[in-house]
Amino acid sequence: MKKFYTAADVNFYASKGESVIYIQPEDVVTSVAREEAEKKGIQFSISGIVEPASSCQISKVLPSQVPKEMGNHILQRSVCQPDNYYVKVKDLPYKNLLSNAEVEQWREEFPILKDVVHLGNCSQSAQSKRVLAGIQRYLDNWGSIGMDWDSWMEEIDLAKAEFAKLINAKPEEIAIASSVSDLVSSIANSLDYTGKRKKIVVTDMEFPTVDYVWLANQRHGAKVDFISVNENHQIELSEYERYIDENTLLTSITQVYYLNGFKQDVRKIADIAHRKGSLILVDAYQCLGTEPMDVKEMKIDVLVSGCLKYLFGIPGVAFMYVNPELIQNLKPSVTGWFGQTNPFLFQTRYLDWANMTSRFDTGTPPVLNAYAVRAGLEIVNEVTVPKIKDRIDMLSARALNGVIKRGLKTISPFDVSKKGGTTAIVCGDKVDSHTMEKLLREKNVIGSGRGEVIRIAPHFYTKPEEIDYALDRIKEILDGR
Protein backbone atom coordinates (compact mmCIF):
# COMPACT_ATOMS: atom_id res chain seq x y z
CA MET A 1 0.00 0.00 0.00
CA LYS A 2 1.43 3.40 -1.03
CA LYS A 3 2.36 5.67 1.86
CA PHE A 4 2.87 9.44 1.77
CA TYR A 5 5.68 10.84 3.91
CA THR A 6 5.30 14.40 5.20
CA ALA A 7 7.41 16.80 7.26
CA ALA A 8 5.58 15.53 10.34
CA ASP A 9 6.86 12.01 9.64
CA VAL A 10 10.43 13.32 9.33
CA ASN A 11 10.15 15.16 12.64
CA PHE A 12 8.79 12.01 14.30
CA TYR A 13 11.80 9.95 13.14
CA ALA A 14 14.15 12.78 14.13
CA SER A 15 12.68 12.77 17.65
CA LYS A 16 13.59 9.08 17.90
CA GLY A 17 17.17 9.79 16.83
CA GLU A 18 16.82 7.97 13.50
CA SER A 19 19.17 8.91 10.65
CA VAL A 20 17.50 6.77 7.97
CA ILE A 21 13.82 6.34 7.07
CA TYR A 22 13.20 3.06 5.26
CA ILE A 23 10.48 3.26 2.62
CA GLN A 24 9.09 1.10 -0.18
CA PRO A 25 9.64 1.82 -3.90
CA GLU A 26 6.01 2.90 -4.42
CA ASP A 27 5.94 5.31 -1.46
CA VAL A 28 5.78 9.07 -2.04
CA VAL A 29 7.94 11.62 -0.21
CA THR A 30 6.62 15.16 -0.40
CA SER A 31 8.95 18.01 -1.33
CA VAL A 32 8.43 19.59 2.10
CA ALA A 33 9.42 16.28 3.70
CA ARG A 34 12.61 16.20 1.63
CA GLU A 35 13.52 19.70 2.74
CA GLU A 36 12.85 18.85 6.37
CA ALA A 37 14.90 15.64 6.06
CA GLU A 38 17.83 17.59 4.64
CA LYS A 39 17.69 20.01 7.57
CA LYS A 40 17.60 17.15 10.05
CA GLY A 41 20.34 15.13 8.33
CA ILE A 42 17.98 12.23 7.61
CA GLN A 43 18.13 10.02 4.51
CA PHE A 44 15.26 8.19 2.82
CA SER A 45 16.26 4.64 1.86
CA ILE A 46 14.32 2.14 -0.22
CA SER A 47 14.26 -1.20 1.59
CA GLY A 48 13.83 -3.30 -1.55
CA ILE A 49 15.35 -3.46 -5.01
CA VAL A 50 14.26 -0.78 -7.46
CA GLU A 51 13.61 -2.71 -10.61
CA PRO A 52 15.12 -1.33 -13.82
CA ALA A 53 12.66 -0.34 -16.54
CA SER A 54 13.45 0.56 -20.15
CA SER A 55 14.20 4.14 -19.15
CA CYS A 56 15.51 3.38 -15.68
CA GLN A 57 18.89 1.76 -15.04
CA ILE A 58 20.60 0.81 -11.84
CA SER A 59 24.06 2.30 -11.36
CA LYS A 60 26.63 1.71 -8.64
CA VAL A 61 27.09 4.55 -6.17
CA LEU A 62 30.68 5.67 -5.79
CA PRO A 63 32.05 5.77 -2.23
CA SER A 64 32.34 9.57 -2.45
CA GLN A 65 28.60 9.71 -3.20
CA VAL A 66 27.53 7.68 -0.19
CA PRO A 67 26.10 9.72 2.68
CA LYS A 68 28.02 9.18 5.92
CA GLU A 69 24.85 7.97 7.61
CA MET A 70 24.68 4.95 5.29
CA GLY A 71 27.89 3.34 6.57
CA ASN A 72 30.00 0.85 4.63
CA HIS A 73 27.41 -1.06 2.64
CA ILE A 74 27.01 -2.14 -0.95
CA LEU A 75 24.62 0.36 -2.48
CA GLN A 76 22.90 0.95 -5.78
CA ARG A 77 21.14 4.08 -6.94
CA SER A 78 18.32 4.26 -9.44
CA VAL A 79 19.21 6.97 -11.96
CA CYS A 80 15.52 7.70 -12.50
CA GLN A 81 14.99 8.37 -8.77
CA PRO A 82 16.11 11.39 -6.71
CA ASP A 83 19.69 11.24 -5.40
CA ASN A 84 18.61 10.40 -1.86
CA TYR A 85 16.89 7.15 -2.87
CA TYR A 86 19.05 4.10 -2.22
CA VAL A 87 18.81 0.36 -2.19
CA LYS A 88 20.67 -0.82 0.85
CA VAL A 89 21.15 -3.84 3.04
CA LYS A 90 20.52 -3.06 6.67
CA ASP A 91 22.76 -5.56 8.38
CA LEU A 92 23.40 -6.37 12.03
CA PRO A 93 26.70 -6.08 13.92
CA TYR A 94 28.69 -9.27 13.38
CA LYS A 95 30.21 -10.43 16.67
CA ASN A 96 32.17 -13.34 15.19
CA LEU A 97 30.99 -15.62 18.00
CA LEU A 98 32.12 -18.67 16.01
CA SER A 99 35.69 -18.50 14.80
CA ASN A 100 36.65 -19.79 11.37
CA ALA A 101 38.64 -22.53 13.08
CA GLU A 102 35.55 -23.66 15.01
CA VAL A 103 33.48 -23.66 11.83
CA GLU A 104 36.10 -25.73 10.02
CA GLN A 105 36.11 -28.22 12.89
CA TRP A 106 32.33 -28.49 12.86
CA ARG A 107 32.28 -28.97 9.08
CA GLU A 108 34.01 -32.31 9.63
CA GLU A 109 30.78 -33.44 11.30
CA PHE A 110 28.91 -33.06 7.98
CA PRO A 111 30.62 -35.15 5.26
CA ILE A 112 28.53 -33.80 2.36
CA LEU A 113 30.12 -30.36 2.81
CA LYS A 114 33.32 -31.68 1.29
CA ASP A 115 31.62 -32.04 -2.07
CA VAL A 116 28.75 -29.56 -2.30
CA VAL A 117 27.64 -26.10 -1.27
CA HIS A 118 24.69 -26.94 0.98
CA LEU A 119 22.24 -24.01 0.97
CA GLY A 120 18.98 -25.93 1.16
CA ASN A 121 18.76 -25.83 4.95
CA CYS A 122 15.27 -24.30 4.80
CA SER A 123 14.19 -27.73 3.47
CA GLN A 124 16.70 -30.21 4.90
CA SER A 125 19.98 -29.65 6.72
CA ALA A 126 23.13 -31.61 5.97
CA GLN A 127 23.49 -35.09 7.42
CA SER A 128 25.74 -35.25 10.47
CA LYS A 129 27.82 -38.15 11.73
CA ARG A 130 26.09 -37.89 15.11
CA VAL A 131 22.63 -38.24 13.63
CA LEU A 132 23.75 -41.21 11.59
CA ALA A 133 25.22 -42.75 14.76
CA GLY A 134 21.92 -42.12 16.56
CA ILE A 135 20.03 -44.04 13.89
CA GLN A 136 22.59 -46.83 14.11
CA ARG A 137 22.08 -47.02 17.90
CA TYR A 138 18.42 -47.78 17.32
CA LEU A 139 19.24 -50.38 14.65
CA ASP A 140 21.82 -52.02 16.91
CA ASN A 141 19.33 -52.09 19.77
CA TRP A 142 16.66 -53.58 17.53
CA GLY A 143 19.09 -56.14 16.15
CA SER A 144 20.52 -57.27 19.46
CA ILE A 145 17.55 -56.98 21.83
CA GLY A 146 14.54 -56.92 19.55
CA MET A 147 11.77 -55.25 21.56
CA ASP A 148 13.03 -52.75 24.15
CA TRP A 149 10.23 -50.43 25.23
CA ASP A 150 12.18 -49.18 28.25
CA SER A 151 15.06 -47.93 26.12
CA TRP A 152 12.71 -46.57 23.45
CA MET A 153 10.68 -44.53 25.91
CA GLU A 154 13.83 -43.26 27.56
CA GLU A 155 15.00 -42.03 24.15
CA ILE A 156 11.65 -40.30 23.55
CA ASP A 157 11.96 -38.54 26.92
CA LEU A 158 15.55 -37.51 26.21
CA ALA A 159 14.55 -36.09 22.82
CA LYS A 160 11.74 -34.11 24.44
CA ALA A 161 14.18 -32.79 27.04
CA GLU A 162 16.64 -31.66 24.36
CA PHE A 163 13.86 -29.85 22.48
CA ALA A 164 12.61 -28.28 25.72
CA LYS A 165 16.10 -26.94 26.44
CA LEU A 166 16.05 -25.19 23.05
CA ILE A 167 12.91 -23.17 23.83
CA ASN A 168 13.24 -22.71 27.64
CA ALA A 169 10.51 -25.18 28.51
CA LYS A 170 10.28 -28.24 30.72
CA PRO A 171 10.33 -31.78 29.23
CA GLU A 172 6.83 -32.47 30.57
CA GLU A 173 5.57 -29.47 28.57
CA ILE A 174 6.51 -31.15 25.28
CA ALA A 175 4.49 -33.51 23.07
CA ILE A 176 5.87 -35.58 20.20
CA ALA A 177 4.27 -36.76 16.97
CA SER A 178 5.17 -37.65 13.42
CA SER A 179 4.41 -34.23 11.92
CA VAL A 180 3.37 -30.67 12.66
CA SER A 181 0.10 -31.48 10.89
CA ASP A 182 -0.70 -34.08 13.56
CA LEU A 183 0.13 -31.74 16.41
CA VAL A 184 -1.80 -28.74 15.11
CA SER A 185 -4.74 -31.04 14.41
CA SER A 186 -4.62 -32.24 18.00
CA ILE A 187 -4.82 -28.64 19.24
CA ALA A 188 -7.47 -27.61 16.70
CA ASN A 189 -9.92 -30.31 17.69
CA SER A 190 -9.31 -29.62 21.38
CA LEU A 191 -10.90 -26.19 21.10
CA ASP A 192 -14.53 -25.31 21.76
CA TYR A 193 -16.09 -23.45 18.83
CA THR A 194 -19.61 -23.22 20.31
CA GLY A 195 -19.17 -19.94 22.19
CA LYS A 196 -18.76 -16.36 21.07
CA ARG A 197 -15.07 -16.88 20.41
CA LYS A 198 -14.85 -19.16 17.41
CA LYS A 199 -12.73 -17.14 15.00
CA ILE A 200 -9.30 -18.44 14.04
CA VAL A 201 -6.98 -15.81 12.59
CA VAL A 202 -4.44 -17.28 10.18
CA THR A 203 -2.21 -15.79 7.49
CA ASP A 204 -1.18 -16.42 3.91
CA MET A 205 2.39 -16.88 5.21
CA GLU A 206 1.69 -20.18 6.93
CA PHE A 207 3.05 -23.35 5.43
CA PRO A 208 -0.14 -24.67 3.77
CA THR A 209 -0.51 -27.69 6.06
CA VAL A 210 -1.33 -25.42 9.03
CA ASP A 211 -4.03 -23.52 7.16
CA TYR A 212 -5.54 -26.80 5.94
CA VAL A 213 -5.97 -27.97 9.53
CA TRP A 214 -7.87 -24.82 10.51
CA LEU A 215 -10.02 -24.92 7.38
CA ALA A 216 -10.90 -28.55 8.10
CA ASN A 217 -12.19 -27.51 11.54
CA GLN A 218 -14.76 -25.19 10.02
CA ARG A 219 -17.10 -28.19 10.08
CA HIS A 220 -16.84 -28.09 13.88
CA GLY A 221 -17.77 -24.41 14.00
CA ALA A 222 -14.45 -22.64 13.50
CA LYS A 223 -14.59 -19.37 11.54
CA VAL A 224 -11.30 -18.93 9.68
CA ASP A 225 -10.14 -15.43 8.76
CA PHE A 226 -7.01 -14.88 6.66
CA ILE A 227 -4.53 -12.00 6.87
CA SER A 228 -3.06 -11.43 3.41
CA VAL A 229 0.58 -10.65 2.73
CA ASN A 230 1.28 -7.27 1.17
CA GLU A 231 3.05 -6.57 -2.12
CA ASN A 232 6.39 -7.04 -0.35
CA HIS A 233 5.40 -10.53 0.85
CA GLN A 234 5.22 -9.28 4.44
CA ILE A 235 2.58 -8.52 7.07
CA GLU A 236 2.53 -5.29 9.03
CA LEU A 237 1.99 -5.55 12.79
CA SER A 238 -1.04 -3.27 12.42
CA GLU A 239 -2.83 -6.01 10.49
CA TYR A 240 -2.96 -8.14 13.64
CA GLU A 241 -4.49 -5.22 15.50
CA ARG A 242 -7.12 -5.06 12.78
CA TYR A 243 -7.95 -8.76 12.43
CA ILE A 244 -7.78 -10.02 16.02
CA ASP A 245 -10.95 -9.04 17.87
CA GLU A 246 -13.28 -10.04 20.70
CA ASN A 247 -14.47 -13.06 18.66
CA THR A 248 -10.98 -14.49 18.10
CA LEU A 249 -10.32 -17.78 19.84
CA LEU A 250 -6.80 -18.40 18.53
CA THR A 251 -4.27 -16.65 16.30
CA SER A 252 -2.06 -18.99 14.28
CA ILE A 253 1.19 -17.52 12.94
CA THR A 254 4.51 -18.56 11.50
CA GLN A 255 7.66 -16.98 12.89
CA VAL A 256 9.42 -17.00 9.52
CA TYR A 257 7.71 -17.08 6.12
CA TYR A 258 8.90 -20.19 4.28
CA LEU A 259 8.82 -18.43 0.90
CA ASN A 260 11.05 -15.40 1.46
CA GLY A 261 12.38 -15.56 5.03
CA PHE A 262 10.38 -12.60 6.36
CA LYS A 263 10.56 -12.79 10.17
CA GLN A 264 7.74 -11.64 12.43
CA ASP A 265 7.98 -10.18 15.92
CA VAL A 266 6.31 -13.03 17.81
CA ARG A 267 6.37 -11.27 21.18
CA LYS A 268 4.55 -8.20 19.86
CA ILE A 269 1.96 -10.31 18.04
CA ALA A 270 1.44 -12.38 21.20
CA ASP A 271 0.89 -9.20 23.19
CA ILE A 272 -1.78 -8.06 20.71
CA ALA A 273 -3.48 -11.46 20.76
CA HIS A 274 -3.53 -11.76 24.54
CA ARG A 275 -4.71 -8.19 25.02
CA LYS A 276 -7.71 -9.09 22.89
CA GLY A 277 -8.30 -12.44 24.61
CA SER A 278 -6.89 -14.72 21.89
CA LEU A 279 -4.55 -17.67 22.29
CA ILE A 280 -1.51 -17.74 20.02
CA LEU A 281 0.03 -20.71 18.19
CA VAL A 282 3.48 -20.29 16.63
CA ASP A 283 4.91 -22.46 13.87
CA ALA A 284 8.68 -22.10 14.39
CA TYR A 285 9.68 -24.73 11.82
CA GLN A 286 11.43 -22.27 9.46
CA CYS A 287 13.81 -20.76 11.98
CA LEU A 288 14.07 -22.81 15.17
CA GLY A 289 17.74 -23.36 15.88
CA THR A 290 18.75 -20.10 14.22
CA GLU A 291 16.73 -17.66 16.31
CA PRO A 292 16.61 -17.56 20.14
CA MET A 293 13.25 -18.84 21.33
CA ASP A 294 11.91 -18.47 24.85
CA VAL A 295 8.29 -19.58 25.09
CA LYS A 296 7.94 -18.11 28.58
CA GLU A 297 9.37 -14.68 27.84
CA MET A 298 7.55 -14.47 24.49
CA LYS A 299 4.30 -15.59 26.14
CA ILE A 300 3.58 -18.31 23.57
CA ASP A 301 0.61 -20.58 24.24
CA VAL A 302 1.45 -23.27 21.69
CA LEU A 303 4.63 -23.78 19.66
CA VAL A 304 5.18 -26.44 17.01
CA SER A 305 8.18 -27.45 14.95
CA GLY A 306 9.61 -30.31 13.00
CA CYS A 307 13.35 -30.98 13.01
CA LEU A 308 14.60 -31.70 9.50
CA LYS A 309 15.56 -28.09 8.70
CA TYR A 310 17.91 -26.17 10.98
CA LEU A 311 17.79 -28.78 13.76
CA PHE A 312 19.70 -31.44 11.77
CA GLY A 313 16.96 -34.05 12.13
CA ILE A 314 14.99 -36.17 9.71
CA PRO A 315 11.37 -36.26 8.47
CA GLY A 316 8.74 -38.03 10.52
CA VAL A 317 9.11 -36.35 13.91
CA ALA A 318 7.82 -33.08 15.38
CA PHE A 319 7.47 -31.50 18.81
CA MET A 320 4.92 -29.21 20.45
CA TYR A 321 5.02 -27.01 23.52
CA VAL A 322 1.73 -26.17 25.26
CA ASN A 323 1.38 -23.69 28.10
CA PRO A 324 0.68 -25.94 31.12
CA GLU A 325 -2.03 -23.54 32.33
CA LEU A 326 -4.12 -24.52 29.29
CA ILE A 327 -3.79 -28.29 29.54
CA GLN A 328 -6.87 -29.12 31.60
CA ASN A 329 -9.16 -27.16 29.27
CA LEU A 330 -7.97 -28.94 26.11
CA LYS A 331 -9.43 -32.36 25.38
CA PRO A 332 -8.12 -33.66 22.04
CA SER A 333 -10.16 -36.07 19.96
CA VAL A 334 -7.08 -36.75 17.84
CA THR A 335 -5.51 -38.98 20.46
CA GLY A 336 -4.10 -42.43 21.13
CA TRP A 337 -2.70 -44.67 23.81
CA PHE A 338 0.33 -42.46 24.45
CA GLY A 339 -1.95 -39.50 25.19
CA GLN A 340 -3.22 -41.25 28.32
CA THR A 341 -1.92 -41.06 31.88
CA ASN A 342 -0.58 -44.61 31.70
CA PRO A 343 -0.20 -45.87 28.12
CA PHE A 344 0.67 -49.36 29.36
CA LEU A 345 -2.45 -49.79 31.47
CA PHE A 346 -4.30 -51.03 28.37
CA GLN A 347 -7.77 -50.20 29.66
CA THR A 348 -10.42 -49.58 26.99
CA ARG A 349 -13.56 -48.21 28.68
CA TYR A 350 -12.69 -44.56 29.40
CA LEU A 351 -10.41 -41.67 28.42
CA ASP A 352 -7.75 -40.72 30.91
CA TRP A 353 -5.81 -37.92 29.27
CA ALA A 354 -2.41 -37.22 30.78
CA ASN A 355 -2.17 -34.12 32.97
CA MET A 356 0.93 -33.00 31.08
CA THR A 357 1.48 -32.00 27.46
CA SER A 358 1.91 -35.69 26.64
CA ARG A 359 -1.92 -35.74 26.43
CA PHE A 360 -1.28 -34.53 22.85
CA ASP A 361 0.87 -37.53 22.06
CA THR A 362 -1.11 -39.97 19.96
CA GLY A 363 -0.17 -43.49 18.93
CA THR A 364 3.16 -45.29 18.99
CA PRO A 365 5.78 -42.52 18.95
CA PRO A 366 8.40 -42.19 16.18
CA VAL A 367 11.08 -44.07 18.09
CA LEU A 368 13.72 -44.41 15.36
CA ASN A 369 13.32 -40.74 14.46
CA ALA A 370 13.72 -39.76 18.12
CA TYR A 371 17.17 -41.35 18.18
CA ALA A 372 18.13 -39.26 15.16
CA VAL A 373 16.57 -35.99 16.26
CA ARG A 374 18.04 -36.06 19.76
CA ALA A 375 21.49 -36.22 18.23
CA GLY A 376 20.69 -33.27 15.96
CA LEU A 377 19.25 -31.19 18.79
CA GLU A 378 22.36 -31.86 20.86
CA ILE A 379 24.46 -30.25 18.12
CA VAL A 380 22.31 -27.11 18.15
CA ASN A 381 22.41 -26.85 21.92
CA GLU A 382 26.15 -27.47 21.96
CA VAL A 383 26.97 -24.83 19.35
CA THR A 384 24.29 -22.57 20.94
CA VAL A 385 21.62 -20.60 19.14
CA PRO A 386 23.13 -17.13 19.74
CA LYS A 387 26.32 -18.20 17.96
CA ILE A 388 24.35 -19.76 15.12
CA LYS A 389 22.20 -16.65 14.74
CA ASP A 390 25.22 -14.35 14.70
CA ARG A 391 26.78 -16.27 11.83
CA ILE A 392 23.59 -16.77 9.83
CA ASP A 393 22.78 -13.07 10.07
CA MET A 394 26.22 -12.30 8.65
CA LEU A 395 25.72 -14.83 5.85
CA SER A 396 22.25 -13.45 5.20
CA ALA A 397 23.68 -9.95 4.68
CA ARG A 398 26.34 -11.45 2.43
CA ALA A 399 23.61 -13.03 0.29
CA LEU A 400 21.58 -9.82 0.05
CA ASN A 401 24.62 -7.74 -0.87
CA GLY A 402 25.56 -10.39 -3.42
CA VAL A 403 22.10 -10.22 -4.95
CA ILE A 404 22.44 -6.45 -5.39
CA LYS A 405 25.96 -6.73 -6.78
CA ARG A 406 24.86 -9.22 -9.45
CA GLY A 407 21.66 -7.42 -10.41
CA LEU A 408 19.44 -10.28 -9.24
CA LYS A 409 15.96 -9.80 -7.85
CA THR A 410 14.86 -10.96 -4.41
CA ILE A 411 11.55 -10.87 -2.59
CA SER A 412 13.27 -11.16 0.80
CA PRO A 413 13.54 -8.22 3.22
CA PHE A 414 16.70 -6.12 2.92
CA ASP A 415 16.65 -5.54 6.67
CA VAL A 416 18.45 -8.53 8.19
CA SER A 417 16.68 -8.00 11.52
CA LYS A 418 13.42 -8.75 9.72
CA LYS A 419 14.45 -11.98 8.01
CA GLY A 420 15.49 -15.49 8.79
CA GLY A 421 18.30 -17.26 6.98
CA THR A 422 16.39 -17.69 3.71
CA THR A 423 17.06 -15.40 0.76
CA ALA A 424 14.56 -15.93 -2.06
CA ILE A 425 15.80 -15.10 -5.56
CA VAL A 426 13.29 -14.68 -8.37
CA CYS A 427 13.91 -17.06 -11.26
CA GLY A 428 11.83 -15.19 -13.85
CA ASP A 429 10.47 -16.49 -17.14
CA LYS A 430 13.63 -18.16 -18.45
CA VAL A 431 13.77 -21.00 -15.94
CA ASP A 432 11.31 -22.22 -13.31
CA SER A 433 12.45 -22.76 -9.73
CA HIS A 434 12.36 -26.56 -9.92
CA THR A 435 14.58 -26.55 -12.99
CA MET A 436 16.86 -24.03 -11.30
CA GLU A 437 17.18 -26.38 -8.33
CA LYS A 438 18.18 -29.26 -10.62
CA LEU A 439 20.65 -27.14 -12.61
CA LEU A 440 22.28 -25.94 -9.40
CA ARG A 441 22.73 -29.53 -8.25
CA GLU A 442 24.67 -30.16 -11.45
CA LYS A 443 26.97 -27.35 -10.30
CA ASN A 444 27.32 -28.83 -6.79
CA VAL A 445 24.96 -26.37 -5.13
CA ILE A 446 21.93 -27.44 -3.08
CA GLY A 447 19.19 -24.80 -3.14
CA SER A 448 15.45 -25.11 -2.62
CA GLY A 449 12.85 -24.07 -5.18
CA ARG A 450 9.44 -22.75 -4.14
CA GLY A 451 7.00 -21.10 -6.52
CA GLU A 452 8.83 -18.49 -8.58
CA VAL A 453 11.94 -18.35 -6.38
CA ILE A 454 15.03 -20.35 -5.63
CA ARG A 455 15.83 -20.16 -1.93
CA ILE A 456 19.35 -20.16 -0.55
CA ALA A 457 19.49 -20.78 3.19
CA PRO A 458 22.89 -21.12 4.88
CA HIS A 459 23.60 -22.74 8.23
CA PHE A 460 26.37 -21.98 10.67
CA TYR A 461 28.69 -24.35 8.76
CA THR A 462 28.36 -22.32 5.54
CA LYS A 463 31.37 -20.31 4.34
CA PRO A 464 30.85 -16.76 3.00
CA GLU A 465 32.58 -17.68 -0.26
CA GLU A 466 30.05 -20.49 -0.74
CA ILE A 467 27.30 -17.85 -0.83
CA ASP A 468 29.24 -16.05 -3.58
CA TYR A 469 29.75 -19.25 -5.54
CA ALA A 470 26.04 -20.11 -5.42
CA LEU A 471 24.96 -16.63 -6.50
CA ASP A 472 27.42 -16.74 -9.41
CA ARG A 473 25.93 -20.04 -10.56
CA ILE A 474 22.38 -18.65 -10.28
CA LYS A 475 23.43 -15.63 -12.31
CA GLU A 476 24.99 -17.87 -14.97
CA ILE A 477 21.85 -19.98 -15.27
CA LEU A 478 19.57 -16.94 -15.52
CA ASP A 479 21.87 -15.40 -18.12
CA GLY A 480 21.74 -18.63 -20.15
CA ARG A 481 25.42 -19.38 -19.73
Side-chain angles (χ1 to χ4, degrees):
M1 182 180 298
K2 183 185 295 185
K3 180 174 180 179
F4 288 82
Y5 285 84
T6 66
D9 294 309
V10 174
N11 288 323
F12 171 74
Y13 281 94
S15 69
K16 295 171 61 180
E18 301 286 349
S19 60
V20 180
I21 300 175
Y22 296 98
I23 65 176
Q24 300 301 326
E26 69 276 6
D27 290 343
V28 175
V29 181
T30 65
S31 58
V32 177
R34 294 185 196 284
E35 293 173 4
E36 192 68 21
E38 187 174 350
K39 292 178 185 176
K40 295 288 196 301
I42 293 177
Q43 293 287 331
F44 285 96
S45 175
I46 296 178
S47 58
I49 283 184
V50 180
E51 291 224 37
S54 57
S55 60
C56 176
Q57 296 179 342
I58 298 293
S59 63
K60 279 283 183 68
V61 179
L62 300 175
S64 61
Q65 297 174 291
V66 178
K68 292 180 180 179
E69 290 86 355
M70 303 297 281
N72 296 319
H73 299 277
I74 295 176
L75 304 172
Q76 288 179 327
R77 182 177 65 194
S78 169
V79 300
C80 65
Q81 293 281 358
D83 285 350
N84 60 348
Y85 277 83
Y86 294 90
V87 174
K88 160 186 186 302
V89 174
K90 185 179 180 183
D91 57 13
L92 295 171
Y94 179 44
K95 301 174 185 176
N96 198 25
L97 299 179
L98 276 173
S99 69
N100 289 336
E102 288 175 298
V103 172
E104 287 293 343
Q105 185 176 358
W106 273 110
R107 283 174 66 92
E108 294 297 318
E109 177 68 29
F110 304 90
I112 195 173
L113 302 183
K114 291 183 174 65
D115 301 313
V116 302
V117 174
H118 195 299
L119 296 173
N121 297 285
C122 54
S123 288
Q124 169 73 71
S125 55
Q127 182 191 96
S128 76
K129 295 176 182 177
R130 293 191 192 186
V131 169
L132 198 58
I135 294 172
Q136 191 59 52
R137 281 198 305 112
Y138 169 79
L139 295 176
D140 290 344
N141 174 273
W142 183 19
S144 61
I145 298 179
M147 182 192 71
D148 191 359
W149 278 104
D150 289 339
S151 292
W152 298 348
M153 297 316 301
E154 180 183 11
E155 196 69 27
I156 293 291
D157 290 341
L158 290 171
K160 286 184 176 183
E162 209 65 44
F163 184 84
K165 187 188 305 181
L166 186 64
I167 63 172
N168 188 31
K170 298 176 181 178
E172 60 267 24
E173 296 170 346
I174 306 299
I176 189 171
S178 296
S179 70
V180 163
S181 299
D182 291 341
L183 292 168
V184 176
S185 294
S186 188
I187 289 293
N189 63 59
S190 301
L191 299 173
D192 181 1
Y193 304 105
T194 62
K196 177 184 176 182
R197 289 187 181 272
K198 62 184 65 177
K199 181 168 134 180
I200 305 295
V201 173
V202 298
T203 81
D204 284 329
M205 293 200 313
E206 311 314 302
F207 193 76
T209 193
V210 177
D211 287 339
Y212 299 157
V213 169
W214 296 118
L215 290 170
N217 276 271
Q218 289 181 126
R219 64 192 244 178
H220 299 305
K223 304 294 183 184
V224 180
D225 200 1
F226 280 85
I227 301 178
S228 300
V229 296
N230 61 24
E231 62 275 14
N232 298 308
H233 305 275
Q234 301 177 24
I235 293 176
E236 297 291 340
L237 200 62
S238 59
E239 291 293 273
Y240 289 99
E241 288 280 8
R242 189 157 69 94
Y243 276 82
I244 304 172
D245 57 24
E246 68 278 1
N247 296 316
T248 305
L249 178 59
L250 182 143
T251 302
S252 180
I253 69 167
T254 182
Q255 185 170 18
V256 167
Y257 188 9
Y258 73 91
L259 184 65
N260 70 339
F262 169 62
K263 181 171 63 181
Q264 302 199 95
D265 191 326
V266 171
R267 174 58 191 270
K268 288 184 178 178
I269 298 172
D271 285 344
I272 294 170
H274 291 150
R275 173 162 41 85
K276 298 192 176 189
S278 168
L279 299 174
I280 185 165
L281 181 148
V282 178
D283 178 2
Y285 212 146
Q286 280 293 335
C287 69
L288 197 59
T290 68
E291 189 74 20
M293 175 64 68
D294 186 330
V295 292
K296 310 296 185 182
E297 189 276 330
M298 298 170 83
K299 301 186 184 304
I300 295 171
D301 295 308
V302 182
L303 180 140
V304 294
S305 180
C307 300
L308 74 160
K309 303 182 190 296
Y310 298 100
L311 300 181
F312 306 117
I314 61 177
V317 60
F319 294 98
M320 178 169 69
Y321 159 82
V322 180
N323 183 339
E325 296 179 4
L326 302 175
I327 295 296
Q328 298 304 320
N329 295 323
L330 298 173
K331 298 177 172 124
S333 58
V334 172
T335 189
W337 61 312
F338 276 91
Q340 309 304 301
T341 300
N342 183 356
F344 295 95
L345 185 59
F346 298 113
Q347 62 79 24
T348 58
R349 293 299 182 100
Y350 59 90
L351 281 168
D352 185 23
W353 286 297
N355 291 322
M356 301 179 296
T357 304
S358 59
R359 72 164 48 196
F360 299 102
D361 292 348
T362 54
T364 303
V367 177
L368 166 61
N369 299 9
Y371 277 80
V373 79
R374 178 164 78 92
L377 287 165
E378 285 176 343
I379 293 174
V380 176
N381 285 324
E382 185 175 330
V383 179
T384 75
V385 174
K387 290 182 179 181
I388 294 173
K389 174 179 168 53
D390 180 56
R391 186 166 176 87
I392 286 182
D393 284 345
M394 177 272 289
L395 294 167
S396 189
R398 179 87 170 215
L400 291 169
N401 282 320
V403 163
I404 294 174
K405 182 178 180 180
R406 292 163 179 80
L408 299 170
K409 179 185 177 185
T410 179
I411 61 171
S412 295
F414 272 72
D415 183 345
V416 174
S417 70
K418 294 181 178 179
K419 75 184 292 290
T422 297
T423 300
I425 300 167
V426 178
C427 293
D429 299 328
K430 294 182 180 180
V431 56
D432 64 84
S433 63
H434 182 64
T435 301
M436 172 66 79
E437 184 178 316
K438 291 197 297 182
L439 292 173
L440 284 175
R441 282 184 179 273
E442 294 174 6
K443 299 175 184 290
N444 297 321
V445 176
I446 298 177
S448 175
R450 284 288 184 275
E452 65 172 356
V453 301
I454 184 72
R455 303 177 299 169
I456 60 172
H459 213 312
F460 81 95
Y461 46 54
T462 304
K463 296 181 179 181
E465 56 267 31
E466 291 180 321
I467 299 286
D468 301 336
Y469 177 83
L471 292 175
D472 285 339
R473 304 294 80 77
I474 292 171
K475 175 71 171 171
E476 287 176 359
I477 293 169
L478 292 177
D479 288 347
R481 291 186 280 125

